[in-house]
Amino acid sequence: QVQLVESGGGLVQAGGSLRLSCAASGSIFSISTMGWYRQAPGEQRTLVAYITSGGSTNYADSVKGRFTISRDNAKNTVYLQMNSLKPEDTAVYYCYANVLLSSRASYGVDYWGKGTLVTVSS
């Protein structure tokens, strides 16, 4: 039983910025990886960025140099700072976490947030 709660989505003009937040709560021993995915209208869900517990990051080519992912392990929270937003960034953004539920776990379990809508107008 793990819940991911997202915040920060909304409407912004092209060239503007938004910061998304996602806090995980529940029966958590540790979280190996947290990240963000997005799904635009008529498109498949794709990876935006992820960050490991050690701080290693990975970004989709389309957002490199514009978006920054970070996390606060003490708060089980991941952030996505989005700058220089473009209309093509418009999508529902989903928080993701791979969670170890106990100290004896051999693998993590994937959890997803409900999604938050980001709309970038031209």
Side-chain angles (χ1 to χ4, degrees), residues 7-116:
S7 62
L11 175 64
V12 65
Q13 288 185 253
S17 299
L18 284 174
R19 189 178 80 152
L20 305 182
S21 300
C22 173
S25 62
S27 300
I28 298 170
F29 176 72
S30 65
I31 303 177
S32 61
T33 301
M34 303 188 80
W36 294 91
Y37 288 69
R38 68 186 182 186
Q39 187 168 19
E43 303 290 338
Q44 297 185 143
R45 188 177 300 187
T46 59
L47 175 71
V48 177
Y50 71 76
I51 182 167
T52 69
S53 59
S56 297
T57 60
N58 182 272
Y59 297 90
D61 288 342
S62 59
V63 307
K64 285 181 180 177
R66 300 188 298 121
F67 292 9
T68 303
I69 191 168
S70 61
R71 66 189 284 173
D72 185 335
N73 291 332
K75 298 180 179 179
N76 287 328
T77 299
V78 64
Y79 307 93
L80 186 68
Q81 178 66 46
M82 304 186 293
N83 298 327
S84 301
L85 283 161
K86 304 174 180 180
E88 49 263 47
D89 295 317
T90 295
V92 177
Y93 284 70
Y94 296 91
C95 181
Y96 159 84
N98 183 262
V99 180
L100 297 175
L101 301 179
S102 77
S103 62
R104 292 186 173 88
S106 298
Y107 57 90
V109 178
D110 292 342
Y111 290 91
W112 294 89
K114 299 298 183 183
T116 184

